[in-house]
Amino acid sequence: MSTWDLSETKHHVLICNGGSCLRNQGDEVTLAIRAEIALHGAEDYFHTTRTKCNGRCEDACVVMVYPEGIWYKEMTPETVRTLVREHLLQGNPLYEHMSYYFHNNRFSPTGNGTRGVLRSAAVKKEAKKGSL
């Protein structure tokens, strides 16, 4: 196993490859996000890791982006390509796929507690302040 030089890394992207996520294109999502990162020549800036189950099976396929602490739900090969271009390269999170984000030293839900993320005024306000 290689040891990565993380000194240039801006984001760590964790892709769930637990059972539910694998049944919802987890492997394809992993390959797509890595291919999109490579397409942009950004391998030194974005490190990806496959994980086992992260406990959000109803949100499959789950992708988490750090250091922001944003948890994305229902990701597909198409949406992770957008995630690379918009969030990782441009700094614009994909609000419609966010389920949680780290704020005030805790994870805050972005929706109403169940499926579906609301584009709430609070989430938009945090994004504008740069807290998101």
Side-chain angles (χ1 to χ4, degrees):
M1 184 169 154
S2 299
T3 301
W4 293 91
D5 176 4
L6 298 175
S7 61
E8 297 294 320
T9 302
K10 296 179 182 181
H11 295 285
H12 187 185
V13 181
L14 299 110
I15 307 120
C16 184
N17 276 215
S20 294
C21 287
L22 285 176
R23 284 188 296 279
N24 285 279
Q25 298 186 299
D27 193 47
E28 295 86 347
V29 165
T30 302
L31 297 174
I33 199 166
R34 289 177 173 172
E36 191 70 20
I37 289 169
L39 178 69
H40 293 279
E43 297 96 329
D44 290 342
Y45 306 112
F46 311 127
H47 182 67
T48 63
T49 302
R50 288 181 193 248
T51 70
K52 296 291 185 184
C53 180
N54 289 284
R56 299 291 309 164
C57 299
E58 68 273 12
D59 292 341
C61 179
V62 175
V63 174
M64 297 145 288
V65 178
Y66 285 87
E68 296 96 327
I70 294 176
W71 285 50
Y72 286 108
K73 66 179 197 154
E74 300 172 352
M75 299 305 284
T76 66
E78 295 77 26
T79 57
V80 293
R81 289 183 192 101
T82 303
L83 182 142
V84 170
R85 291 188 307 271
E86 294 295 322
H87 182 160
L88 301 184
L89 293 170
Q90 300 295 320
N92 302 313
L94 306 181
Y95 299 108
E96 61 274 13
H97 287 279
M98 287 172 58
S99 59
Y100 286 86
Y101 68 103
F102 196 74
H103 174 69
N104 289 334
N105 292 318
R106 67 184 182 102
F107 284 97
S108 299
T110 58
N112 59 8
T114 60
R115 296 184 66 79
V117 175
L118 302 176
R119 289 180 157 221
S120 69
V123 172
K124 288 180 183 177
K125 183 178 177 184
E126 292 302 322
K128 285 183 180 179
K129 289 186 344 189
S131 301
L132 194 65

